[in-house]
Amino acid sequence: MPVDAWITLAVVAAVLSTLVRGRVSPAVVVFAGAVAVLVLGVVEAEEAFSGFSNSAPITVAALYVLAAGIDKTGALTPVMQGTLGERGSYRLPLLRTLWPTAGASAFLNNTPIVAMLIPQVTTWAQRRGVSVSKLLMPVSFAAILGGLVTVIGTSTNLVVSGQMESLGLREIGFFEIGRLGLPIAVIGVAAVILLAPKVLPDRRSVRAEMEEEGRRFTVEMLVEPGGAVDGRTVAEANLRHLSGLFLVSVDRGDTTIAPVRPETVLRGGNRLHFVGSLDRVVDLQEMRGLKSAELDHVLDLDDPSVRYFEAVVGSRSPLVGRTLRDAGFRSAYQAAVLGIHRSGHLVEGRLGTVPIRVGDTLMLVSDPGFKDRWRDRADFLLVGEVAGTPPVATSRAWIPVGLLLAVVGLAATGTFPILEGSLVAAIALVATGVLSPLEARRAIDIEVIVVIASAFGLAAAMQASGLAETVATGLVDVFGGMGDRGVLLGLVLATIILTELVTNNAAALLMLPIAVQASMATGLDPRGAAIAVAVSASASFLSPLGYQTNMMVYGPGGYRFSDYARLGWVLTLLVGGLTVGLTPLLWTS
């Protein structure tokens, strides 16, 4: 290989190994890789940063805004609400829910769709006494499969389409990817409905486990006037770090303080609401300066000023690797953590000293405004209110729905390109007041946009240095004995493995130049090979790390890491087999 190819190989290997470790933000890692190939002289600045002027990341950003408008106005609520029905335990509710989920995901970012369904599915499962773990993972998988039907179904499809233009290929047509993606989605969703109730285990959700352990029992105590607690702060009265107990609110009569800060001064007659396990609640009776506010000490918390929330920690959260105490969680988030759910179990011990990990689900107590404050921030992948009501479709829901239909219709007929249509739609949402400029900005996942744009530079380096051609030649040598489908199988396997280790967008952009070079050395059609990479990069079913919606359902479903492979390996084989079998028939050179 030329020297530039060796340099590019070293940079790509460093990027991939760092991404696999997961200790540094993917955007930082991939952008650093693009800078490295520029500084080391493999590509010029125009190539290294070509992704920042490409239409793909801009289109993805605009579609994030459009999806936020639909989410905020509750436009999908009439479609998705009540899909579970009241009949059947698993297969019939899955049948009624997964098809609309897949259909909506073909045209919208699947993250808000799954976020809306998680509390609905969880509440339904609790009411029916069935395991939510047999329902939430299928919802995520159906959303992934639905994204294979159109070019705007996933950001990966748009990314591959954008890079195809730079490789001399025409962009993917709006429904072109559906020639392969639609049969995969239909067969895949049917397989999930059939297999999920059998192969997925019974797991307890974070809500069920906390209720079983008694952590939702609360007690109301009065501060005795002139007693040991009167006039002291929460910290001075040693009420901040009680083992197994949390002081969630202070009722002063005219105002309620929630959450409670360490510096809050307690006065005689104040009513203190504590939550914790039953044995710890009973221990409060022995605390000097406090007395029971009522004869029946243990009750369900039913204070309109205090709400429970579930929050899933994502890879971009500043909480990852830090303890709640180090992060100053109560002060920073105005919330108290009642429990941490990890890998199917509640974390034991003092929660303030436990380092937070990606995928942890925090059970929180805070004021009613917590969800609105944090739902669009990088701190949490998902914020849902426990026992909250689903969003109601507002009178302005027709605006984002009308704009989406216009974007789809004009793009599908070739009248107006997706880029221009999505940008006009995003601006229109702000201009009409459906979204504020701040809400529109928060709707855009900057991490994803930077990863996409930066990965274009690495892909350009692979192409310019000859590394893509070298790898493609090796791939043909290894799999060429099985014919063109053998080479395609090698491309699909490599893409699927890579997308489980790193982000799906990065996997697609790194594999696309290799796929195009391999197709030139065989009888494969380059367009077919490129679309096969796009489909394979989205086929992330083996772990919670490969796709955002998989991580979103990880904690609420009470899953363990290994649970994903139980159903995921079937879908992975299905996607791989259909891609290898159908691609040469659908696209011929």
Side-chain angles (χ1 to χ4, degrees):
M1 288 194 302
V3 174
D4 282 353
W6 283 108
I7 294 173
T8 305
L9 178 62
V11 171
V12 171
V15 167
L16 293 179
S17 63
T18 306
L19 288 174
V20 170
R21 291 192 187 99
R23 296 178 181 177
V24 184
S25 163
V28 173
V29 175
V30 182
F31 183 75
V35 172
V37 293
L38 169 65
V39 172
L40 294 172
V42 178
V43 292
E44 298 296 327
E46 292 77 8
E47 296 171 296
F49 303 119
S50 59
F52 290 92
S53 60
N54 190 277
S55 63
I58 301 172
T59 304
V60 171
L63 290 174
Y64 271 129
V65 177
L66 184 55
I70 290 178
D71 183 37
K72 181 183 176 181
T73 59
L76 284 179
T77 301
V79 178
M80 306 304 295
Q81 193 173 10
T83 56
L84 290 161
E86 295 299 329
R87 296 176 55 194
S89 56
Y90 291 116
R91 286 199 176 90
L92 185 57
L94 286 174
L95 180 68
R96 292 164 57 95
T97 302
L98 299 194
W99 292 115
T101 300
S105 297
F107 303 98
L108 286 171
N109 177 16
N110 48 30
T111 301
I113 297 172
V114 174
M116 180 182 68
L117 283 172
I118 286 174
Q120 293 186 36
V121 172
T122 302
T123 301
W124 183 90
Q126 288 180 329
R127 189 176 68 248
R128 303 272 303 180
V130 299
S131 176
V132 72
S133 61
K134 292 182 181 290
L135 300 170
L136 286 183
M137 190 187 299
V139 167
S140 174
F141 286 177
I144 294 173
L145 290 166
L148 304 179
V149 177
T150 70
V151 73
I152 66 170
T154 69
S155 59
T156 304
N157 299 347
L158 289 167
V159 165
V160 170
S161 179
Q163 194 185 13
M164 285 172 65
E165 189 177 17
S166 66
L167 293 174
L169 300 174
R170 182 171 44 85
E171 291 184 341
I172 300 175
F174 193 87
F175 289 109
E176 183 181 9
I177 195 171
R179 294 160 63 184
L180 175 61
L182 182 59
I184 290 176
V186 171
I187 297 173
V189 171
V192 170
I193 294 171
L194 178 66
L195 297 175
K198 288 186 176 181
V199 302
L200 292 179
D202 289 317
R203 301 280 190 220
R204 291 178 299 173
S205 69
V206 58
R207 302 183 195 179
E209 192 157 347
M210 289 191 69
E211 288 174 359
E212 183 173 315
E213 295 204 2
R215 287 185 178 270
R216 287 196 65 182
F217 288 109
T218 68
V219 64
E220 187 175 88
M221 305 294 289
L222 281 174
V223 177
E224 293 182 336
V229 174
D230 189 5
R232 306 183 71 181
T233 66
V234 171
E236 291 169 345
N238 296 319
L239 297 178
R240 177 163 170 76
H241 297 300
L242 297 172
S243 178
L245 277 174
F246 299 90
L247 175 57
V248 296
S249 69
V250 175
D251 184 356
R252 298 193 185 277
D254 55 344
T255 60
T256 300
I257 302 172
V260 182
R261 298 178 179 275
E263 61 272 16
T264 299
V265 178
L266 303 175
R267 303 295 185 188
N270 287 172
R271 290 176 176 265
L272 312 184
H273 291 281
F274 291 89
V275 61
S277 56
L278 183 58
D279 56 341
R280 298 299 183 184
V281 166
V282 173
D283 289 344
L284 280 174
Q285 315 307 315
E286 303 175 3
M287 188 167 293
R288 293 177 61 248
L290 299 178
K291 65 179 181 180
S292 175
E294 48 193 292
L295 295 177
D296 185 10
H297 302 311
V298 181
L299 66 157
D300 284 330
L301 185 62
D302 190 22
D303 185 337
S305 66
V306 178
R307 305 280 178 84
Y308 286 103
F309 299 90
E310 287 175 310
V312 179
V313 178
S315 60
R316 298 167 51 209
S317 175
L319 295 171
V320 174
R322 305 174 68 191
T323 66
L324 297 174
R325 183 174 299 173
D326 292 341
F329 190 91
R330 287 200 185 194
S331 299
Y333 295 90
Q334 295 92 51
V337 177
L338 306 181
I340 301 174
H341 198 272
R342 177 182 296 164
S343 300
H345 300 286
L346 280 173
V347 174
E348 301 292 339
R350 296 180 65 88
L351 300 182
T353 61
V354 176
I356 300 299
R357 299 179 186 173
V358 174
D360 282 353
T361 298
L362 311 182
M363 180 64 83
L364 309 169
V365 63
S366 185
D367 62 279
F370 179 85
K371 182 177 180 179
D372 291 336
R373 289 197 302 271
W374 298 102
R375 63 184 298 179
D376 294 324
R377 304 290 188 91
D379 303 65
F380 303 111
L381 193 59
L382 167 73
V383 178
E385 183 177 347
V386 177
T389 57
V392 178
T394 67
S395 60
R396 313 192 77 186
W398 66 271
I399 298 177
V401 170
L403 289 171
L404 174 64
L405 292 176
V407 171
V408 171
L410 293 174
T413 57
T415 307
F416 207 48
I418 298 172
L419 172 63
E420 287 86 337
S422 58
L423 284 173
V424 170
I427 293 171
L429 287 176
V430 176
T432 56
V434 173
L435 294 176
S436 68
L438 179 60
E439 288 173 325
R441 181 173 63 82
R442 287 181 175 176
I444 300 172
D445 193 333
I446 297 298
E447 178 94 2
V448 172
I449 303 303
V450 173
V451 167
I452 292 173
S454 302
F456 271 84
L458 291 177
M462 292 179 64
Q463 187 77 9
S465 67
L467 178 60
E469 183 178 359
T470 301
V471 175
T473 301
L475 197 67
V476 172
D477 291 341
V478 174
F479 292 94
M482 293 183 284
D484 292 348
R485 279 191 169 85
V487 175
L488 186 59
L489 175 63
L491 289 170
V492 169
L493 288 176
T495 305
I496 289 175
I497 293 171
L498 198 57
T499 200
E500 293 293 350
L501 297 176
V502 299
T503 68
N504 49 354
N505 290 318
L509 284 168
L510 292 177
M511 286 301 302
L512 186 56
I514 298 172
V516 172
Q517 289 292 337
S519 65
M520 293 179 179
T522 62
L524 291 172
D525 182 81
R527 291 189 66 77
I531 290 175
V533 166
V535 170
S536 302
S538 295
S540 180
F541 305 108
L542 296 176
S543 82
L545 302 177
Y547 208 90
Q548 193 172 45
T549 57
N550 288 348
M551 182 61 74
M552 289 170 66
V553 302
Y554 184 50
Y559 296 113
R560 298 175 185 173
F561 195 94
S562 58
D563 290 342
Y564 284 78
R566 293 182 179 224
L567 180 60
W569 73 268
V570 177
L571 293 179
T572 301
L573 289 178
L574 187 149
V575 171
L578 289 176
T579 300
V580 172
L582 295 178
T583 300
L585 301 177
L586 297 171
W587 289 275
T588 57
S589 56

